[in-house]
Structures are given as structure tokens and as C-alpha cells.
Amino acid sequence: MLPKIYRSDPDIRKHQINTLKIFNDNVSEICEGLEYQIPFKSGRNELLLHVSLSKDFPNEKPLLKISPPIAHHWVNAESEVTSAPGLLNFTIHSDLGRVVQAVIREYERNPPPLKNECSGNSIAPGSTITSPTVPKRDGERSSPSYCGINSFTSPTHLPNAQRRLMFPELHKLSSEELEFLNNSIDRQQEFINEIPAIKEQNKLLDELIVQVEELAESNLAKQEQLQELKMNVDRRIEEVTKLAFENERLHVKYQDLSNKYSPVNIKEQLRSAAQKAELECENIADTFLRGEIDVDKFVVLYTKTRALCQTRKTKEEKLSHQLDSLLKAGF
């Protein structure tokens, strides 16, 4: 994934909208790429956060609006969230989803009263009016409270405080150094690289790179052995191919011999040979009747041929009987 500094504005806008859906639940799209709504529960009240994105977003801050109207130091008279830390410091490199998530979490942890509840309450004589304590910045005034009820407490968890806990190194920097860090991407990269956790990750990454290089060298060293094994496999494949062709040839030959010497085929051959011998006997008899051969020759030829014919018939009948018996036995 490309860093944000190498993305075009449409890509950054799409990424910002994706973070809105990733870090927050129940995000409803009212107008694609322009307007979204997020319902959430704040104490006993059901609130709705409207997120409006202008055409210049993310170069321009998003517009967050709460309904129904609430009394909170982040919200102005038009129910627009304007003083949330994430909005005050919003830049093109911010995450819209995290900014909205911080706003929703603030209202979930410290439920603010509705404006109509504040306007309906009267302040008793002698009661003390307090306002929520808001962290001040240099040259910045604290925002007034819209509801001076004692039960309204100040937020105790702010994203900036969380960031200070995550990056204790920031305590060592002066205001000028922090300003320079905020405005310089190169300085931010240097600061990140000096964080112990990042150093540890870089160390692990270097170790992994060394392991990968060693594995690559080991693989290259086995290349010759692999080539020999490949040639051996090719040679055996060639031998197997030849054996397969020879096996096919022998199988065809076996099928031919099997059909030729099968009992059924032998029976048919015997029947055909017996019929042929019987026909030859008739031809010998016709030849004798025409006077073409003498008696002695006729007797010899006819007896021999007739005996052959009878032998073949006997064998054919015997084989037929055996085959019928096997067929009845289920073979």
C-alpha cells in the first residue's frame, strides 16, 4: 500500500471514508461520498452524528453535527462539533474514522445533557454553578459551558492524553520542537525510527532479511543437486513411457490370444471344421460316383475324412456340454 504522501486526493478521500466505516459501527450512507449518519447511545439518550464531507475534503475539515441538540463544550449553538481535538488538528493525514470514533467515545463515556433538559432546569438560589474543566492550550481560551449543572462532569479521557501515554518521548520536546515535528514529515519519520518499539521491529526485520538471504544461498547451493535429480526424473519418465507402450502392445496381443483361445471361440472353430470335413466327405463321394477315383482310393479318403469330421463333432459337443454346465453353475 502506498503512503498517503504518494496518493492522489481521490484515493485519500476514499481511504478516509473507509476508515469511517472501519472504526465505527452502524455507519449509514445518506449520499455516497458526501454524507453519512452514525447512531449511538449516550447514557439514556439516543444520539445521531451527521458527518458531511465537502468536495474539498480531506483538504477541508469534515462537518460533524449532533442531533438532538446537546449541551457540550465541543458543540456550538448550531449543534455542530467544532472543538473536538481531532477536528481542531485535522489535516489531510488525519484519519476521519478515528476522529469520529473519539467524538462518539467522549459522549458515551461522559453523556452530555440535552439542551431542552438544560433549558427546563432552574437554578436554585445559593447553588453553585460549575463548568467543565477543559484542557487549555497556549493562547486559547476555555469554551464556556452550555449547561451549568453540578452533575455535568468534565471529560477525563482525551485522545491527546492517550497520545502522550503512547509517546512519552514527546514530554522531552519543547514547543518549537513539537511545532517542527508537526510540520516536518522527515522529522516525523526520524522521530518514529527512534522509538524503542520501532527499533526492535527494525532489528527483527534485519534478522529476517539475514535469514532470507541465508535460505536463498542454501537454495542456490542445492541447484546442481536439483538439476541432477530433475535429469534422473526425466530419464525415468522416458523409461516409464517406453514400458507403457510395450505394456499396451502386449495387452493387445494378450486380448487377441485370449479371444482366439477362448472356449467359446474354440467351440465355434470345431463346429466350422466339422462342417468343412463333412462337406469334403460329400465331395469325395460325388467324385467316386462320377468314376473319377477307384474303390480303394475312395475307401481310404472317405474313411479318413469321415473320421476327422466325427472327431471334431464329438469334441464340439463335449465342449458345448462343459460350457453349458459352467454357465448353469454361474461361471
Side-chain angles (χ1 to χ4, degrees), residues 83-117:
S83 301
L87 283 177
L88 293 174
N89 301 322
F90 191 87
T91 66
I92 192 174
H93 303 293
S94 302
D95 282 335
L96 175 63
R98 292 185 182 274
V99 172
V100 173
Q101 183 187 49
V103 173
I104 293 177
R105 284 185 177 177
E106 164 63 18
Y107 296 148
E108 288 176 342
R109 292 171 179 171
N110 303 284
L114 301 180
K115 273 193 175 182
N116 57 4
E117 294 177 355

Side-chain angles (χ1 to χ4, degrees), residues 12 55 64 112 122 152 157 166 190 199 220 251 285 321:
I12 298 177
K55 294 182 179 180
L64 307 183
S122 59
F152 181 47
H157 300 281
M166 292 173 61
E190 293 177 1
K199 289 183 178 180
L220 290 175
H251 180 71
H321 178 71

